[in-house]
Structure formats: C-alpha cells, structure tokens
Amino acid sequence: MTVERVPAGLVGATSHGHLLELIRAADGLSRQQLLSTTGMSRATLYERLDTLTRRGYIYEAEPLGSTGGRPSRKIRFEDRGRVVLAITLGQTHGTVSIADTTGRQLRSFTKTLDVSAPAESVLGPLIREGQELLAQGKNETLLGIGVSLPAPVEAGTGHVRHPTTLPGWADDSVVQAVTASWDLPLVVENDARAAGLGERRSDAETVVYVKVGTGIGCGIVVEGSILRGAHGAAGDIGHIRMTPDGPLCRCGRRGCLAAYSSGRALSEKLSGRGFRNMADIRAAAGAGDPAVLGAVESAADVLGSALAATVTTLNPDRLVLGGDLGSLDFFAAQVGERVLADVVDRIGEGLVVETGHPEDQAACSGLATLVMRKIFAPGAVDQVFSEEAVRVASGSTRR
C-alpha cells in the first residue's frame, strides 16, 4: 500500500479560500492528502472541491498510483491559459509583457520613452501595445494587470506619491488609464519593489534588491512580503544624504546618494568625454576605458557605503543589483567589496552579492505574483463566495 505524504507546513484549512491555497502551494494534492491535512469530513471536503471546480478554480489532473481501486487524481489549481499583463516603467523605457501565472514572460515589447512626459502620452501607447499582445494569444484568459513605476506608490490605492520622476502626473493617473481599458484586478507597485519580489527564490529568504539605472531604487522582501513602509516610500535610498554639500540632486537637495551613484550622475560626470547615456558608458566600461572605469568604481564605492547600513539593519540572505548600471558585474563586485568591508563579520557571513535578472523580467515576475495574490489569496476567494451567498440569500428572500 502506498502512503501519500503531505507536504510540511500544510495544516488546518477549511474554507474555500484556504483549501485553494493549500492546493496552489503544494502544486496539487490528492483528495486523501487534503482529508488528512485539513481534518474535514469527506462530505464537506468533496462539496467544497466540487464548488471550486465548478467555479473554475481547480481541476482534476493526472492520475496517481493505484492502490487497488480506481486511481485517484491530483487536484490542481486551474492556471491553464490564464495570463497576467505586466507594464514595467523605467525612467527611459517601458516594457509590456504577457506572463503566465508564475510570472514567466510569454510575449513582450519594449520601447524608449521619457517618463517625465504627461501621463497619457506615456501610458496610452503602452496600454495599446498591451491590447495588441493580448490579441496575439490563443485560448488565453486575462486575470489582471500589474504596473510598476519608478516612484513611491501607495499599494492600497495604486496612487503615486511624491512623484519626483513623474512631474505633472495625477496621483491616480495609472489607475484611471488602466481601468478605462480593463475592468479587472489591478496592482500598481514601485519598480524596485516589484523586481525585488520577482528576484526572491523562496518565501523563506530576505532579499535586498537595488536598481541602479537612471536613478536608484531599493526593494526589500522579507519572507515573501514587500516592505513598503508607512507611506509607500520604504527603499527610497536614492535620497539618503551622503554629504551636506555634495552634488545637486534632482530632488533639490545636495549630496544625495543618487547624485553620486546613479546612471544620471555618471552621465553628467562623463558627458565632457562624449559619454552621454548608459549605453555609451556600458560600452566604454566593457572596452576598459580608464576614465569610465574609475567613475564607475567611485559610484559603486559610495553606493556600497550607503548599503552597509541597510545590510546591517536587515541582515539579508542576498543583495541583488539590477538596472543598467547595477547589472554590470564589476560594479556589483565593487559594491559587495565595500559592503563587506564596512559591516561586521557576523552580518557579512554568508551574504551573497550578485547581479539579478534583466530588470523588466524581474519586475514582470513580481507584478504577476502580486496580481495572483490579490485575486487568489484565501481572503479574496472567501469574499467572492461570501458575496455570492448574500446574493443568493437576497434572491430567496425576495421570492
């Protein structure tokens, strides 16, 4: 007789939402596993599984090994053909992606843009491109939309707060633009935080993700959850003041980290040598230009000094560098060298400093995760069933 093992950590689910969460977390379970895990009666469990199946949340998948009678089947989350639309905005480009429910990009399109332009001129073309990408799919169902922005975002409302990089944008510009095209769940998040979530390897680790592109942003992920702060500004490390009388920052203050270590700061510093953008700087660095390498090393050293405090505070498993500048191997190595030189041994022990996936890919994965959580979290699923029960009861009362 085969004894089915129940994955560790799966205990006590009884509602429709928690039952679905168990199935999703384990990538499928048999009825017997669900019975032993939840302690539910067979009749109650089967009724709820039937309801979840009829509502399109789960399906019966491959048969399991037979123990003599009719072989049981694994119950899986119904993700076949379901997709998420992700729009990831940087300061100089935007990417529109169609992703599966795990965040894997299926199709994408990237265009250059100026994010400081009016919201409609930035978002309108990206939304239309999203519609075209969706039209290319076959037998796909769009579940929801995720948008990431290089600005502080209030997660509960999707509103932009203190948009230094998005001058003139209304707080609700993104919400208004997206909901005008789709009546579906929407998630709006800061770009570095979305990418940080996409970079995590498991919900057990703590990750500090730093995007160093035109500007500097940071996403902190602890046990699978994004650290957002009281007003959605957690991780806005680009405006840590390194010196009181340093270079002028775009925020109007002097000596901010971004004024030393961002791609914009490097471009301004090297413009006199003909290097006007990050593409030029990356190419020159790859060719070993000593002036460029020196400037990049100096920027990395300042960033590493600033990050030493963050690493000491959070003691993360990994420090991941992304963005046009951060993804350069020698830049990340210099940052890591400075961080490890500044923190005490017990903090630096085991710390991994590395470059991440392409930023749009990481942010796309993070946005897909957030959309899926919004729709399929136990509380969200139970709310759907609760509202349905109220509607049924109201109809019965009227009759």
Side-chain angles (χ1 to χ4, degrees), residues 3 47 74 160 181 232 247 263 281 305 365:
V3 178
E47 182 277 326
K74 181 169 282 192
V160 180
S181 297
I281 292 171
S305 176
S365 177

Side-chain angles (χ1 to χ4, degrees), residues 15 64 100 197:
S15 71
L64 301 169
D100 64 17
L197 185 65

Side-chain angles (χ1 to χ4, degrees), residues 241-265:
R241 179 171 280 181
M242 305 302 294
T243 58
D245 56 353
L248 182 66
C249 181
R250 288 189 77 197
C251 72
R253 304 194 312 165
R254 288 191 174 274
C256 290
L257 176 61
Y260 285 101
S261 301
S262 68
R264 176 180 285 107

